[in-house]
Amino acid sequence: MKSATRFFVALALICAAPAMAETMREAVLRKAALENGLRPVEESWPEFEPEKAEVGKLLFESELLSLTRNVSCRNCHLDEFGSADGLPLGHGAGGVGKGIERMKSPAGVLSRNALALWGRGGAGFDTFFWDGRVDASSGDVRSQFGNMAPSDDPLVVTVHLPPVEFREMIGESDATEWLRLGEVGAAARVHMEIARRIRETPEIAAPLAVASGLEVGELTYLQIAEAIAAFIRSEFRLRKTKFHRFVFEGETLTERELAGGLLFYGRGQCAVCHTGAYFSDLQFHAIPFAQFGFGFNGFGIDYGRYNFTLDPRDRYAFRTPPLYNVTKTAPYSHSGVEPNLAGAIRAHVDPLAEIDTSRLSALDRAEVYQKIARWSQEPSYAVELSDAEIAELVAFLAALEFDLEPVR
């Protein structure tokens, strides 16, 4: 009997035995969670070197990693926004302040929403960015570096990319215009400059050299990236959620959380994509969100995964985002177009309820139609959910929250 069939048989038994309903509903939800890959958080914890993680924190918070010295990694990955930045689109180089205040400053505006960092680099978490531009799911690291990847660790490769991105960590000016020329060695020159700065900063260089087993003069950007990766693996390891305690320790969920969980694994079909230890299959799916901002491809268009595979089947597809602390990381979607979680869920199953087509140009409407055509191939296509059911799903997702606290 297939998993989905067993799920609905169990629900039928619930209806036949009201007196046992609550206990049986809990049993069905626990079983569904386990069958869909939920595991104790400790099983996802990656190995890392504490000494590197300690100096990695200094690097993560340093503006020395910005060629124009006006942004750090921490500026866009804040605790109060669930390790994201609370903005529709990332505001990088030159930005001042947090949240809405940062939008008022002369920051470089990015084409996509800043992703949270929870679980990144954990066991089995091997696909990075909205479009999977760093992907080790095949066993080999595929990235913009081609066959010259600086490491066989996909998280270390990932850490090489933000410092060489315009507007993200490089401010636009006459002094940085040379980077637009597409020179093969441009990224390497930026990495070399950052490494030089770090070597000349004793409070960072000395502990980094010790942690790396090198002399200060031997430090390169690779050691910087390894230290930041170690910090991410340490700082952003998954913590136990209420739902983990429900599944593995018998803690009770509220009625709304329980109902939402049954929808999540049942008729809502959320777990078809939001599955496994990270509540993500780390694969690429097309949800026809409205586009906010200029888009990765410009002119309000973002082709997502297609930009890196050039496979027409990948147009409008983005990596399934993990759901830990998702209630804290608004706004939602690759372009941050959805201000609240209920709207983001609605867009998955009823996108035209979220898109006012009367205000779109003919070109924009054509884009929407193409997105919907691609979405029609997804398992969550046109699932009917009431407002009350969406509210129950939101309540369930709140059970995936945790606070940043030391892992012992």
Side-chain angles (χ1 to χ4, degrees), residues 312-325:
R313 294 171 297 181
D314 287 334
R315 281 185 179 164
Y316 310 112
F318 296 87
R319 193 201 60 192
T320 306
L323 296 178
Y324 289 102
N325 281 326

Side-chain angles (χ1 to χ4, degrees), residues 1 13 29 31 56 60 70 105 121 127 146 196 216 228 237 279 281 300 307 325 364 384 389-390 408:
M1 187 182 295
L13 290 173
L29 182 53
K31 189 171 188 294
F60 192 84
N70 55 1
S105 66
T127 306
R196 182 193 65 77
V216 167
I228 294 173
R237 284 180 286 179
F279 287 92
D281 59 3
N307 290 302
N325 281 326
D364 290 337
E384 182 186 0
E389 288 172 326
I390 289 177
R408 295 180 172 82

Side-chain angles (χ1 to χ4, degrees), residues 43-349:
E43 293 186 14
S44 73
W45 288 353
E47 295 182 358
F48 64 90
E49 298 175 67
E51 297 82 3
K52 287 186 178 180
E54 187 172 346
V55 69
K57 181 177 186 294
L58 300 177
L59 291 161
F60 192 84
E61 297 174 349
S62 174
E63 293 185 350
L64 292 175
L65 268 69
S66 164
L67 187 65
T68 43
R69 300 175 186 257
N70 55 1
V71 69
S72 74
C73 304
R74 179 63 78 187
N75 290 135
C76 298
H77 297 287
L78 300 162
D79 296 343
E80 54 262 57
F81 300 114
S83 77
D85 63 2
L87 300 174
L89 300 173
H91 281 56
V96 178
K98 303 177 182 180
I100 298 301
E101 286 301 312
R102 194 167 183 83
M103 294 180 69
K104 301 175 184 178
S105 66
V109 182
L110 309 184
S111 61
R112 290 177 179 157
N113 180 257
L115 282 162
L117 294 180
W118 297 113
R120 272 47 173 183
F125 200 120
D126 50 20
T127 306
F128 299 86
F129 299 108
W130 280 108
D131 46 33
R133 71 185 69 175
V134 177
D135 182 356
S137 59
S138 66
D140 297 318
V141 179
R142 299 178 180 178
S143 72
Q144 292 160 284
F145 290 98
N147 59 4
M148 299 178 66
S151 171
D152 59 5
D153 181 336
L155 182 56
V156 172
V157 175
T158 295
V159 175
H160 276 72
L161 296 181
V164 297
E165 293 287 343
F166 265 113
R167 298 189 299 275
E168 185 165 356
M169 297 192 77
I170 298 177
E172 297 178 285
S173 69
D174 291 342
T176 58
E177 194 62 24
W178 63 273
L179 284 165
R180 294 188 185 277
L181 301 179
E183 296 179 13
V184 174
R189 287 175 62 185
V190 174
H191 290 145
M192 289 171 64
E193 168 60 19
I194 293 171
R196 182 193 65 77
R197 295 176 184 178
I198 296 303
R199 289 194 299 269
E200 295 177 357
T201 307
E203 60 270 27
I204 299 178
L208 180 60
V210 171
S212 303
L214 299 171
E215 298 295 326
V216 167
E218 298 175 301
L219 294 174
T220 68
Y221 190 84
L222 177 60
Q223 287 75 51
I224 293 169
E226 288 173 341
I228 294 173
F231 169 70
I232 291 172
R233 287 186 163 118
S234 170
E235 181 83 353
F236 299 102
R237 284 180 286 179
L238 299 182
R239 272 66 164 178
K240 193 181 299 184
T241 70
K242 182 177 183 180
F243 189 57
H244 284 90
R245 294 192 296 271
F246 164 77
V247 172
F248 299 109
E249 300 173 13
E251 182 170 323
T252 302
L253 295 180
T254 67
E255 181 61 31
R256 279 160 56 84
E257 290 167 345
L258 186 58
L262 292 170
L263 272 170
F264 184 91
Y265 287 108
R267 186 168 61 82
Q269 300 189 55
C270 310
V272 174
C273 303
H274 292 284
T275 190
Y278 299 101
F279 287 92
S280 170
D281 59 3
L282 301 179
Q283 298 299 308
F284 302 89
H285 301 280
I287 307 299
F289 287 107
Q291 178 65 41
F292 179 76
F294 51 87
F296 188 89
N297 296 92
F299 303 99
I301 296 172
D302 193 332
Y303 288 138
R305 180 65 169 163
Y306 168 82
N307 290 302
F308 293 91
T309 66
L310 301 183
D311 184 338
R313 294 171 297 181
D314 287 334
R315 281 185 179 164
Y316 310 112
F318 296 87
R319 193 201 60 192
T320 306
L323 296 178
Y324 289 102
N325 281 326
V326 67
T327 50
K328 303 178 181 181
T329 60
Y332 303 97
S333 90
H334 67 276
S335 70
V337 72
E338 288 292 342
N340 61 71
L341 190 51
I345 295 171
R346 174 67 71 196
H348 281 65
V349 297

Side-chain angles (χ1 to χ4, degrees), residues 336-374:
V337 72
E338 288 292 342
N340 61 71
L341 190 51
I345 295 171
R346 174 67 71 196
H348 281 65
V349 297
D350 186 9
L352 291 181
E354 297 295 310
I355 301 175
D356 183 359
T357 56
S358 68
R359 302 181 63 180
L360 300 181
S361 67
L363 177 61
D364 290 337
R365 285 195 299 274
E367 279 293 305
V368 170
Y369 302 150
Q370 290 183 60
K371 290 178 183 179
I372 290 176
R374 175 62 181 81

